[in-house]
């Protein structure tokens, strides 16, 4: 990189990334996006797909993701990724591939 870290940290893209990281860094946010990758799910279906998530936490995450335009609510069908959410998922997909290839390491680090 040609710029020193001090110069690029305050760039608009750094601010945008910080905002994104703050939203996606909340517990269960990435999991909700991941579970909606294959299509719409009802609230109960999404809760079942996510595993051990409380309804109140899931409700909060879904509302936050709807607010930022990553998820959209569809009457009678539940929730699905918006166009923006699908673009975001495509950026996250390589992380899923990496996680699948390194699952042994990830399991060891949890212990």
């Amino acid at each position: 990189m040609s710029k020193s870290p001090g110069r690029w940290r305050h760039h608009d893209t750094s601010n945008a990334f910080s905002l994104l990281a703050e939203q996606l860094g909340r517990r269960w946010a990435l999991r909700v996006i991941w579970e909606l990758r294959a299509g719409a799910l009802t609230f109960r279906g999404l809760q079942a797909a996510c595993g051990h998530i409380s309804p109140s936490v899931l409700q909060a995450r879904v509302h936050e993701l709807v607010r930022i335009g990553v998820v959209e609510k569809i009457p009678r069908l539940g929730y699905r990724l918006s166009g923006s959410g699908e673009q975001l998922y495509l950026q996250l997909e390589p992380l899923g591939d990496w996680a699948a290839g390194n699952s042994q390491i990830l399991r060891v680090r949890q212990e």
Side-chain angles (χ1 to χ4, degrees), residues 19 30 47 58 63 69 74-75 78 80 87-88 96-97 101-102 104 110-111:
L19 294 171
L30 287 173
Q47 186 178 17
L58 179 58
H63 282 296
I74 305 161
R80 72 176 176 197
Q87 289 176 347
L88 177 59
D97 295 341
N102 290 282
Q104 187 68 24
Q110 282 183 329
E111 296 172 353

Side-chain angles (χ1 to χ4, degrees), residues 14-27 29-30 68:
S14 294
N15 187 42
F17 184 81
S18 294
L19 294 171
L20 176 66
E22 182 179 326
Q23 289 297 319
L24 298 184
R26 294 183 180 189
R27 191 169 187 188
L30 287 173
I68 65 171

